[in-house]
Amino acid sequence: MNKITESIFYTGVLNPNLRVFDIIMRTDFGTSYNSYLVKGKEKLALVETAHSSFFDYFIENVKNAAGGAKIDYLILNHCEPDHTGSVAKLLKVYPDMQILTSAAGAIYIKQITNLPQLELRVVRDGETLDLGGRTLQFISAPFLHWPDSMFTYCPEEKAVFTCDFLGSHYCEPQLFDNKITYKGQYLYALKNYFDAIFGPFLPYVRKGLEKLEPLGAEYFCTSHGPVLTKGGCAAEVVSLYKEWSAQIKKTALSIPIFYCSAYGNTEKLAKAVREGILSVKPAAKAALYNIIEYDLALLQGLLNSSDAFLIGTPTLNRDAVAPVWQLLAGFDAINAAKRPCALFGSFGWSGEALPNVTARLTGLKCAVFDKQLKVNFTPSQEELDAAKSFGAEFAAAIADLK
Ligand code: FEO
């Protein structure tokens, strides 16, 4: 059950009941914390550990796979605690075990384990580790999806350990992709995982795929979900990653206008602002989205792929309304730096919504337009004209596509 190849064994833990991962990701099909033991003639190397909650299961798997032998090395391709949560406890079982990780990983793992004196071997791109008849080669793969990320390749087994890359929060009792029972659900989980984990890092995904291609790997030992194999889903998953990370040449500026409107006043402003935008940039895609009428994930995708955007919100209880905050909760802050944005809204008593959202967008490093459009209750014709001018001025400040 736990044998991947002649010298690689599964030592991970299944967590089929997990429904939320990392606070924000729904995991309808659970997950797994995959870990692998590579057995050379002289040395044993473990690749990744498991979530700390499952240490007892994990260590039993390690001991069974090792057959009573000690673990010589622990390879950490990525140090997020779902893979490193058991490191401190594991060191108590195997105190002489040497940890190998990237330079960034070395910093993180000391903080994660609270072991500042932890002795580590920092490995660089192209370095190898000889286990006796089995070699591990380290391949730098930064931002897939942390700065510390790397791949580890075992050429004798044609197996590459990719940690989160090509993984999925998907749990079935069997190890291999060619045994997946619910393929549609697996592909759904794969896409959700890709969007959540790798969406902000598409250029790095393309580089990662380029690094994997020449290896000719037949086993892709990910750290979540099934092991991908040459005869199973590996080619399909790699192809999907290529498709999802492909650069799309834009032909028109995307300037979505997101708004909420209790009595139609902010909506009237939104329509006038749009007119103004199109008067300056007629080819722009400046669609109106009443936030509460759309799927939030769809809107967050539009927000994140926009060239510029606007938010219209009334004020409720001295703040912007909840759907606006929910939309911004899915904002890709990593790629948002200097994204032009502008704010408008109708208010009744005090109108704190716009300064509050401004503070948030400024904190996310967006380029917030220095003018705001704020109207008390029902916009007059003069105010609608001003809204049109506001849209035109904002559009004029947005750079055209190159
Ligand atoms: Fe599966 Fe980024 O940890």
Side-chain angles (χ1 to χ4, degrees):
M1 155 67 187
N2 69 345
K3 190 168 182 178
I4 308 289
T5 69
E6 205 49 41
S7 60
I8 299 176
F9 297 82
Y10 185 78
T11 49
V13 177
L14 304 182
N15 184 1
N17 290 337
L18 187 79
R19 288 296 171 268
V20 179
F21 184 89
D22 266 8
I23 306 168
I24 55 165
M25 280 186 76
R26 280 195 55 78
T27 48
D28 293 340
F29 316 108
T31 194
S32 58
Y33 309 107
N34 297 343
S35 161
Y36 303 91
L37 183 69
V38 185
K39 291 184 176 180
K41 287 196 190 96
E42 290 146 24
K43 303 283 185 185
L44 301 189
L46 200 57
V47 182
E48 329 294 8
T49 71
H51 194 290
S52 61
S53 308
F54 297 91
F55 179 75
D56 291 349
Y57 299 100
F58 167 67
I59 193 63
E60 193 179 330
N61 292 345
V62 172
K63 285 180 175 173
N64 284 341
K70 69 183 172 68
I71 304 297
D72 299 288
Y73 302 108
L74 171 62
I75 316 299
L76 298 177
N77 284 318
H78 164 47
C79 290
E80 198 162 3
D82 52 323
H83 309 293
T84 57
S86 290
V87 170
K89 290 177 188 167
L90 191 66
L91 279 166
K92 290 191 174 140
V93 182
Y94 302 110
D96 298 328
M97 176 181 76
Q98 185 179 37
I99 296 176
L100 291 83
T101 188
S102 65
I107 298 167
Y108 302 153
I109 194 61
K110 287 179 185 178
Q111 299 293 340
I112 288 166
T113 56
N114 271 333
L115 296 170
Q117 308 306 326
L118 187 61
E119 286 191 20
L120 299 154
R121 176 172 156 191
V122 171
V123 292
R124 305 194 189 280
D125 190 46
E127 269 188 55
T128 57
L129 178 71
D130 183 7
L131 302 177
R134 294 290 178 273
T135 315
L136 296 180
Q137 179 189 344
F138 306 106
I139 302 164
S140 174
F143 295 101
L144 294 176
H145 63 122
W146 273 15
D148 65 338
S149 304
M150 64 180 194
F151 303 145
T152 297
Y153 185 52
C154 179
E156 294 87 357
E157 298 289 12
K158 290 193 173 298
V160 62
F161 303 92
T162 58
C163 201
D164 286 332
F165 199 61
L166 308 177
S168 56
H169 288 313
Y170 185 78
C171 184
E172 285 199 23
Q174 58 279 343
L175 276 179
F176 291 105
D177 56 356
N178 57 5
K179 298 281 199 324
I180 291 173
T181 307
Y182 304 104
K183 180 76 181 291
Q185 294 184 347
Y186 166 67
L187 292 174
Y188 177 82
L190 185 80
K191 179 68 162 74
N192 279 352
Y193 183 92
F194 179 90
D195 289 343
I197 306 286
F198 297 111
F201 302 103
L202 298 184
Y204 295 95
V205 170
R206 295 193 286 271
K207 281 184 196 157
L209 291 170
E210 279 171 22
K211 289 192 174 189
L212 287 182
E213 194 156 4
L215 300 179
E218 297 183 2
Y219 297 89
F220 295 79
C221 300
T222 68
S223 289
H224 300 289
V227 172
L228 306 178
T229 58
K230 188 179 175 188
C233 297
E236 182 180 4
V237 171
V238 167
S239 168
L240 287 168
Y241 263 52
K242 281 184 184 167
E243 180 188 325
W244 296 334
S245 65
Q247 269 180 305
I248 296 164
K249 178 107 177 108
K250 284 190 174 181
T251 54
L253 279 173
S254 166
I255 314 173
I257 303 163
F258 306 101
Y259 69 93
C260 287
S261 189
Y263 298 106
N265 295 327
T266 299
E267 185 170 60
K268 283 179 189 161
L269 293 176
K271 288 177 179 171
V273 167
R274 180 174 183 270
E275 265 188 70
I277 291 170
L278 293 177
S279 70
V280 173
K281 299 210 185 289
K285 290 182 189 168
L288 293 165
Y289 298 99
N290 184 344
I291 298 173
I292 62 169
E293 293 178 357
Y294 291 84
D295 175 72
L296 199 57
L298 171 80
L299 295 187
Q300 287 167 339
L302 292 166
L303 174 67
N304 290 331
S305 62
S306 68
D307 298 295
F309 64 93
L310 294 99
I311 301 233
T313 175
T315 295
L316 191 70
N317 288 334
R318 295 187 171 173
D319 200 1
V321 291
V324 166
W325 295 122
Q326 285 157 356
L327 173 68
L328 292 177
F331 196 33
D332 171 5
I334 289 168
N335 291 306
K338 299 185 182 163
R339 179 86 46 91
C341 57
L343 304 168
F344 62 92
S346 162
F347 70 100
W349 302 345
S350 46
E352 291 90 342
L354 300 196
N356 290 354
V357 179
T358 297
R360 173 71 178 279
L361 291 173
T362 303
L364 294 172
K365 314 279 189 230
C366 287
V368 185
F369 194 44
D370 55 8
K371 291 183 185 167
Q372 293 180 350
L373 180 72
K374 199 166 163 183
V375 169
N376 193 208
F377 285 114
T378 310
S380 64
Q381 187 54 52
E382 290 75 27
E383 286 167 327
L384 290 174
D385 291 343
K388 195 171 164 184
S389 300
F390 170 79
E393 282 180 58
F394 177 58
I398 301 168
D400 286 314
L401 291 175
K402 288 176 187 158

